[in-house]
Amino acid sequence: PGFTLRGGLLLDVGANIGTATLAATTRFGAAGAIALEPVPETFALLRQNVFVNRIEERVACHRLAASDRDGEIELELSNWNWGDHRVRVNGSDGAFQEAARQTVRAPAARLDSLELDRVALAWVDVQGHEAHVLEGAAGLAAPMVVEYWPYGLRRAGTLGRFHELVPERFESFVDLAEPGRLRPTRELPGLEAD
């Protein structure tokens, strides 16, 4: 209630081709955005979308993965869904034939390593790497929209850690399936399943 992006920045973590960045800056009044996307081909499309929408002066695009450490990570690439590239956590196969995926290396950083003082909202969609992002963002005070995908979190070995971090960092949450209902984090779905 009463939240606005006007005058603030969107931090788009796992920006993909810029859908959230474009909406925030062209429709919802954000002053600009910081868009992080580690996959080279997707990053090129992100930059192109920012350019063709004439918001390149307001959007900083970085080929970077947010994580719990600075350095480099290995990404596994989906050949059928550009929204399902992920940080590789092991070489075993899963429900989406992850072991057969091609991989690429990418730079990684903790969000706490970046200057993010004007961020009004962080949008985090990183295919199961969300707990890592939260671990590396202890100093980020902005509200967050965070994807909750138990399969991806479980595969990354961080479902339990995600369930610990959310109540540590946030008092309440809104399930976007029920956007009008603010709930305490102790009601986060799946807590009882750990």
Side-chain angles (χ1 to χ4, degrees):
F3 175 80
T4 182
L5 272 171
R6 297 208 182 280
L9 296 177
L10 173 74
L11 173 61
D12 193 357
V13 181
N16 200 275
I17 63 171
T19 306
T21 291
L22 293 174
T25 54
T26 63
R27 295 187 58 211
F28 295 107
I34 301 166
L36 310 181
E37 173 52 49
V39 177
E41 293 83 1
T42 312
F43 179 73
L45 289 173
L46 165 67
R47 289 184 53 171
Q48 186 64 30
N49 279 335
V50 166
F51 177 77
V52 298
N53 282 279
R54 299 185 177 126
I55 55 174
E56 65 272 15
E57 291 182 12
R58 297 171 36 211
V59 176
C61 298
H62 302 280
R63 186 175 164 263
L64 183 68
S67 194
D68 58 347
R69 60 185 168 79
D70 299 330
E72 205 176 56
I73 55 159
E74 185 176 26
L75 298 164
E76 52 189 35
L77 308 176
S78 173
N79 61 1
W80 60 276
N81 179 354
W82 277 36
D84 193 32
H85 303 315
R86 301 186 220 148
V87 173
R88 175 153 280 187
V89 293
N90 61 46
S92 66
D93 222 359
F96 300 95
Q97 293 78 47
E98 289 92 338
R101 292 180 174 196
Q102 291 182 326
T103 62
V104 64
R105 308 255 346 136
R110 295 173 301 113
L111 293 178
D112 288 341
S113 298
L114 308 175
E115 291 193 25
L116 302 172
D117 56 325
R118 288 191 51 224
V119 170
L121 177 68
W123 186 276
V124 182
D125 182 353
V126 291
Q127 298 304 99
H129 203 66
E130 287 79 8
H132 293 84
V133 172
L134 291 175
E135 287 276 7
L140 184 61
M144 293 184 170
V145 175
V146 180
E147 178 185 44
Y148 179 68
W149 184 35
Y151 171 83
L153 291 162
R154 194 174 291 112
R155 184 161 170 76
T158 59
L159 181 61
R161 184 62 184 136
F162 183 85
H163 286 160
E164 293 169 3
L165 283 166
V166 170
E168 286 174 14
R169 298 275 311 280
F170 306 100
E171 292 180 12
S172 57
F173 75 98
V174 174
D175 182 337
L176 293 181
E178 304 176 65
R181 185 170 171 225
L182 187 65
R183 296 164 56 183
T185 53
R186 69 178 180 280
E187 294 180 12
L188 184 68
L191 281 177
E192 67 285 345
D194 283 349

